Amino acid sequence: MFSVVLFLRLGFVVGHAGLYQALAMFAVAYFIIGMTVLSVCAIATNGALDAGGAYYMISRALGPEFGGSIGIMFFLANVCGSALYVLGLVEAVVDSFGIPPGQKAGTGVHVLPQSYWYELLYGTVLLALCLVVCLVGASIYAKATFLIFLIVAGVLGTILVSFFATRPIGVPIRLPSGNGSEIENGSFTGFSLDTLRKNLGGGYEVDYTTGQMMSFSSVFAVMFNGCTGIMAGSNMSGDLKRPSYSIPRGTISAVLFTYLVYNLLAFLMCATCNRVLLQKDYGFLRDISIFPPLVTVGIYAATLSAAMSNLIGASRILYALARDDLFGRALALAKKTSASGNPVMAVILSWLVVQLVLFSGKLNTIAGVVTTFFLLVYATVNLACLALEWASAPNFRPTFRYFTWHTCLLGIAGCCVMMFLISPVSASASLGFLLLLLLALHYLSPSSTWGYISQALIFHQVRKYLLMLDVRKDHVKFWRPQMLLMVQNPRGSARLIDFVNDLKKSGLYILGHVELQDLDMLPSDPLQSQQDSWLSLVDKLNVKAFVSLTLAPSVRHGVRQLLFTSGLGGMRPNTLVLGFYDDEAPQDVLARHPAFTSAREEVPLGFPPLREPSTSKLLSAREYVGIVADALKMLRNVLLARQLESLDKAWELRRAANPPPTIHVWPVNLLRPDSARYADTCSLFLLQMACVLNMARAWRRARLRLFLCVEAGTMPHAQEEKLRQLLKDLRIQAQIQLVPWDAITRLHWQTCRGPPGGPAEEEEEEEGVVNFPTNTTQVSDEYVCAANKLVLEQSPAPAVRFLYLPRPPADTSLYPLYLHQLELLTRGLGPTVLVHGVSAVTSTQL
């Protein structure tokens, strides 16, 4: 834990800040550190740790995006920290053996020349020494740490004794001044109440090494670097035999011990040394010591140990990042290790980066940057623990229980406040760089098997909000389509899947599939192996849909299951979408889809080849119509999509603006001309669906054309005005076009069993517009073909048509005839959607 700050900067901190502010700095710093230590201990005791320290903890807790980006930030923090300690060691060496400023030749032991380049050379040599130790292996450093601790403890004891044993003395301080030097006199007064009073308050002055005016934040930045050793143990998690046991005990002991030492030394310094000595002489502890050489040895041991600790930590983090392949080939070189497992290339790469940082030249120059990096890492460690706690995952069971989400939140707040207080520019730049790394990893890094905390948090929140979503509070003003699209084989339904995605209007969208098998006859569930293929399909097609698969003895039973069970709480499908039942041979559109035509992508997703035209269908015509009838009985709206695979949406929407693509809407029941109403529930639902499609981003350039079928003598202009007013009330922009259809309705009356207004019609009116069990037999093929021709003649040809879907007949024996009439009505129309609505979906109120 102890570093260059203890021996070379603690007097600087106390001299500028005074005792009160210095104690406040220690309290703030150790409050942040204490909260972070609790989070580190919780994560470290929640499972097996590997090499990488904080990076390993964060990446396995928050996922690869956060882990990788914070890993890079922590690597930079350790690199800059190592450079900071090397520069501190250079400062100590030059102070002991350097030629005094203003002198050309040294005397005695003062033989080392002083300049920027010479100090860079000394730093390079010392860093090379650290490199040699790290290349030999971290085990040597780990064995030497106890010896270093004994040396530092002995030096601390000597310093404490010196405050009591040394008599008051004057200390001449030689400071650089221009091309020469000047001498100021500091003094060690021994214990003096007057000295203590003078050192209680702050006295910020210009730092003689950087020429910058000091402040609370700049002094705190220097001081905080003496507290960053809390991660030393976790950085070596891969080299510890029992990291889950050693990290909590060692880290907490180190924090408590160093906090007491810093506070005690701050009080002793304020009570015995005047402000000039504290501010101007970084090595004054050696001047007042009863045995100065021992203090020099302690400085060298502490700073060299801290530099090696950070270099080892940086190399281990870099090695862990390379091993996880988050950055691909960029860090491939760092994977190479020695025969004993030491990541030698990661050590060499870390050494090169530290060497570059040494060009900054002064310890106080990079102190703020190092502190910002470490505060950012500590904030993220707290965030990781907070996310695990809030996710309430059953497997988050750390054996260390002395933490709560409050301590995590306080740690995050403390880190963020101090980070911006020290340097708003550095903090903003660090956060910006972190965000760029996070986005890059999110889009470029391969998927991992570590688990994503975001998924656990999303699950936790979605569950709460689903419980709050009360279906009893539904209102028509906030209705939205919630689609269940039944797909037999995605190879022939790619464009239909994309089209329905445009129709959902931020609602629920489920891709349903029925597998015709009996689970009793199978060793295991075959749907589990198919799930990944369907999810990959959703990702590749870029649709916002869920996948729901089921086993059933028949397609009709499977669709019933999905209609009953799909969704959750207030999010259940209210609209069933089916492809049309016809004799057209299916085409493998998926193979030609843009998402699968890239050279890097391969089409096979685990879906079987399409049915051959000569092969019998899995679904009969009677069963198909039965599915429609079942959905209507369950009060689900129904959409039947025909020839949607011929819809090239990209071409339709790219063509010239004059004329823009159109959407044709026929809100009249063409199979029942004796009840041509435009304001029933089904017609309004059809209007709503066309409007929803037009509101989708890809379809905003399209124009709605609404066709009003009129007969002679029925005041068509009055009907048009009434319909126009309805569209105005519903805020639907559409062009209304009158279509005479007297000749077509005449064909209908010729085949009817009675004139309009007869008993049969009255019976049907009593049953409601959408329920006409006998109407199917009253409509001739000639009439249906004429209605088809009427729709087809309306030019220009639209991108898609919306037609009214009649309710299936009550007599199930008429199902094939009903389907035959639908086939005739939509034959040759191109992309067509038959719509039947059973629920109110429009509102004219605010």
Side-chain angles (χ1 to χ4, degrees):
M1 282 287 292
F2 290 123
S3 64
V4 65
V5 171
L6 176 67
F7 298 106
L8 297 181
R9 288 298 185 272
L10 192 55
F12 163 86
V13 171
V14 175
H16 283 283
L19 180 61
Y20 290 153
Q21 293 188 38
L23 295 179
M25 287 182 185
F26 295 142
V28 171
Y30 276 87
F31 172 78
I32 294 173
I33 289 168
M35 299 299 103
T36 306
V37 164
L38 296 179
S39 298
V40 168
C41 294
I43 298 175
T45 58
N46 189 52
L49 279 179
D50 204 344
Y55 159 71
Y56 188 86
M57 296 180 190
I58 295 170
S59 62
R60 270 51 179 183
L62 297 185
E65 297 98 337
F66 269 102
S69 52
I70 287 298
I72 291 294
M73 302 301 288
F74 198 28
F75 167 75
L76 295 176
N78 278 275
V79 162
C80 293
S82 182
L84 180 141
Y85 299 134
V86 170
L87 291 174
L89 183 55
V90 168
E91 190 177 290
V93 169
V94 169
D95 191 42
S96 300
F97 303 105
I99 299 174
Q103 296 184 14
K104 294 184 178 180
T107 57
V109 295
H110 299 280
V111 294
L112 296 178
Q114 295 190 50
S115 71
Y116 169 80
W117 293 107
Y118 274 113
E119 291 178 4
L120 179 61
L121 175 63
Y122 305 150
T124 302
V125 173
L126 293 171
L127 182 60
L129 176 62
C130 295
L131 174 64
V132 171
V133 175
C134 294
L135 286 177
V136 173
S139 58
I140 294 179
Y141 169 75
K143 294 174 182 177
T145 51
F146 185 68
L147 177 61
I148 294 172
F149 172 75
L150 293 179
I151 294 173
V152 173
V155 174
L156 276 176
T158 303
I159 291 173
L160 291 174
V161 172
S162 298
F163 280 112
F164 295 93
T166 303
R167 295 180 179 181
I169 57 172
V171 181
I173 307 169
R174 188 181 293 272
L175 301 173
S177 177
N179 294 326
S181 63
E182 62 180 14
I183 295 178
E184 290 192 27
N185 293 314
S187 61
F188 176 78
T189 64
F191 285 96
S192 169
L193 188 60
D194 183 59
T195 302
L196 180 62
R197 286 198 190 100
K198 291 179 180 179
N199 288 329
L200 290 177
Y204 297 102
E205 293 186 6
V206 176
D207 175 28
Y208 75 89
T209 61
T210 61
Q212 297 178 350
M213 184 65 186
M214 293 292 100
S215 63
F216 181 91
S217 58
S218 58
V219 172
F220 180 86
V222 175
M223 183 277 300
F224 192 80
N225 286 284
C227 313
T228 56
I230 63 168
M231 289 296 184
S234 61
N235 286 345
M236 298 180 65
S237 55
D239 301 299
L240 298 174
K241 290 183 179 180
R242 298 172 60 193
S244 297
Y245 175 85
S246 304
I247 289 175
R249 286 162 178 78
T251 306
I252 293 175
S253 301
V255 168
L256 295 175
F257 180 68
T258 54
Y259 180 66
L260 294 174
V261 169
Y262 279 134
N263 281 276
L264 178 60
L265 287 177
F267 173 77
L268 294 176
M269 289 176 182
C270 285
T272 58
C273 304
N274 73 347
R275 198 176 290 271
V276 174
L277 181 64
L278 295 173
Q279 290 181 345
K280 307 296 184 182
D281 187 1
Y282 291 161
F284 79 96
L285 289 177
R286 182 174 55 249
D287 298 330
I288 67 171
S289 174
I290 56 175
F291 189 54
L294 186 59
V295 177
T296 302
V297 171
I299 293 174
Y300 294 168
T303 51
L304 197 61
S305 169
M308 285 190 292
S309 172
N310 278 265
L311 183 59
I312 291 173
S315 65
R316 296 306 186 269
I317 294 167
L318 188 63
Y319 172 66
L321 284 166
R323 193 178 57 181
D324 287 337
D325 279 329
L326 295 182
F327 294 90
R329 296 180 181 178
L331 296 180
L333 192 62
K335 293 182 183 180
K336 296 184 179 180
T337 62
S338 65
S340 60
N342 187 31
V344 289
M345 292 308 302
V347 172
I348 293 174
L349 291 173
S350 302
W351 166 75
L352 286 173
V353 181
V354 175
Q355 183 64 54
L356 293 175
V357 180
L358 287 181
F359 282 93
S360 61
K362 294 296 180 183
L363 185 151
N364 289 3
T365 304
I366 61 173
V369 177
V370 176
T371 299
T372 300
F373 280 150
F374 273 109
L375 283 171
L376 189 58
V377 172
Y378 294 166
T380 315
V381 171
N382 284 300
L383 177 64
C385 190
L386 178 67
L388 290 169
E389 179 70 9
W390 275 356
S392 300
N395 284 322
F396 183 58
R397 299 189 297 269
T399 56
F400 182 87
R401 296 300 304 166
Y402 302 102
F403 79 99
T404 67
W405 65 268
H406 304 86
T407 60
C408 303
L409 206 57
L410 289 172
I412 295 171
C415 289
C416 293
V417 169
M418 292 312 303
M419 190 165 58
F420 280 94
L421 186 62
I422 290 169
S423 175
V425 175
S426 297
S428 301
S430 299
L431 287 173
F433 182 54
L434 176 66
L435 184 61
L436 286 176
L437 286 173
L438 196 148
L439 291 174
L441 287 172
H442 178 72
Y443 289 106
L444 301 178
S445 68
S447 59
S448 73
T449 58
W450 310 334
Y452 295 79
I453 190 64
S454 58
Q455 296 297 304
L457 289 172
I458 290 170
F459 176 88
H460 188 66
Q461 292 302 112
V462 167
R463 181 189 62 84
K464 291 199 300 185
Y465 285 124
L466 275 175
L467 290 172
M468 296 168 60
L469 191 59
D470 192 345
V471 294
R472 295 169 295 183
K473 298 179 181 178
D474 283 348
H475 194 278
V476 66
K477 290 188 297 184
F478 308 112
W479 178 91
R480 65 183 70 237
Q482 305 198 75
M483 304 292 196
L484 171 61
L485 170 62
M486 297 305 303
V487 180
Q488 180 183 352
N489 192 329
R491 292 187 180 278
S493 308
R495 288 180 176 173
L496 177 58
I497 293 172
D498 182 63
F499 178 79
V500 178
N501 187 60
D502 291 334
L503 272 178
K504 71 180 188 307
K505 187 55 180 174
S506 302
L508 179 67
Y509 183 18
I510 299 175
L511 298 181
H513 173 72
V514 179
E515 193 76 15
L516 298 182
Q517 295 191 57
D518 186 357
L519 191 59
D520 291 338
M521 308 301 294
L522 298 171
S524 62
D525 182 6
L527 300 180
Q528 296 299 323
S529 59
Q530 299 183 24
Q531 189 79 17
D532 288 343
S533 295
W534 283 87
L535 294 176
S536 297
L537 174 77
V538 169
D539 293 338
K540 295 286 178 61
L541 295 181
N542 195 27
V543 295
K544 298 177 181 178
F546 298 95
V547 173
S548 186
L549 312 179
T550 188
L551 289 176
S554 69
V555 176
R556 185 174 183 181
H557 280 87
V559 175
R560 282 179 184 172
Q561 290 177 19
L562 293 177
L563 285 173
F564 277 125
T565 62
S566 294
L568 196 63
M571 294 187 67
R572 292 186 179 276
N574 56 29
T575 303
L576 175 66
V577 185
L578 301 172
F580 196 78
Y581 191 94
D582 54 27
D583 295 326
E584 294 184 10
Q587 302 292 325
D588 193 346
V589 184
L590 198 63
R592 303 190 301 272
H593 195 278
F596 297 91
T597 54
S598 170
R600 296 175 299 172
E601 302 288 351
E602 295 186 1
V603 174
L605 276 175
F607 301 118
L610 289 172
R611 174 183 60 85
E612 295 292 334
S614 58
T615 308
S616 61
K617 298 180 181 180
L618 300 177
L619 184 68
S620 66
R622 187 183 298 273
E623 189 178 8
Y624 176 83
V625 179
I627 292 173
V628 176
D630 291 343
L632 296 178
K633 290 177 183 178
M634 298 166 68
L635 298 182
R636 303 297 202 276
N637 310 298
V638 176
L639 273 62
L640 304 183
R642 184 172 192 186
Q643 294 186 356
L644 260 296
E645 293 307 315
S646 66
L647 173 63
D648 190 344
K649 185 175 72 172
W651 181 84
E652 288 285 354
L653 302 177
R654 274 201 314 265
R655 63 183 186 173
N658 283 322
T662 58
I663 301 172
H664 285 190
V665 183
W666 295 79
V668 64
N669 186 353
L670 295 174
L671 295 185
R672 185 169 181 178
D674 53 337
S675 180
R677 297 185 181 182
Y678 288 88
D680 65 0
T681 300
C682 186
S683 297
L684 293 177
F685 180 81
L686 189 150
L687 280 173
Q688 181 81 321
M689 295 311 299
C691 181
V692 166
L693 180 66
N694 194 209
M695 293 169 69
R697 179 177 299 177
W699 292 86
R700 285 177 184 170
R701 287 185 55 249
R703 297 290 180 265
L704 290 180
R705 291 184 67 190
L706 187 62
F707 293 91
L708 177 61
C709 297
V710 295
E711 298 180 62
T714 57
M715 296 184 293
H717 294 292
Q719 294 183 35
E720 180 183 3
E721 187 60 33
K722 184 178 179 181
L723 182 57
R724 195 178 304 279
Q725 183 61 42
L726 174 65
L727 294 177
K728 182 179 179 181
D729 293 340
L730 297 177
R731 290 88 62 205
I732 297 177
Q733 295 183 358
Q735 174 190 354
I736 299 177
Q737 182 170 336
L738 300 180
V739 180
W741 69 333
D742 298 79
I744 299 172
T745 56
R746 192 176 302 115
L747 292 174
H748 174 68
W749 303 127
Q750 289 175 359
T751 57
C752 275
R753 290 175 296 179
E761 183 177 347
E762 290 176 2
E763 179 184 349
E764 292 170 8
E765 290 293 341
E766 290 176 2
E767 294 181 354
V769 176
V770 296
N771 194 6
F772 47 102
T774 61
N775 191 65
T776 302
T777 57
Q778 296 179 3
V779 177
S780 66
D781 287 356
E782 183 183 8
Y783 164 77
V784 178
C785 290
N788 169 263
K789 184 178 179 182
L790 176 70
V791 174
L792 192 59
E793 287 176 345
Q794 308 306 316
S795 60
V800 64
R801 290 179 172 90
F802 283 84
L803 302 184
Y804 190 114
L805 174 67
R807 178 181 285 269
D811 186 355
T812 58
S813 63
L814 298 177
Y815 280 0
L817 177 60
Y818 169 80
L819 187 58
H820 171 68
Q821 292 175 353
L822 294 182
E823 195 279 328
L824 289 178
L825 179 64
T826 58
R827 181 179 294 177
L829 295 184
T832 304
V833 181
L834 292 161
V835 181
H836 191 98
V838 295
S839 54
V841 296
T842 57
S843 173
T844 59
Q845 300 176 351
L846 288 177

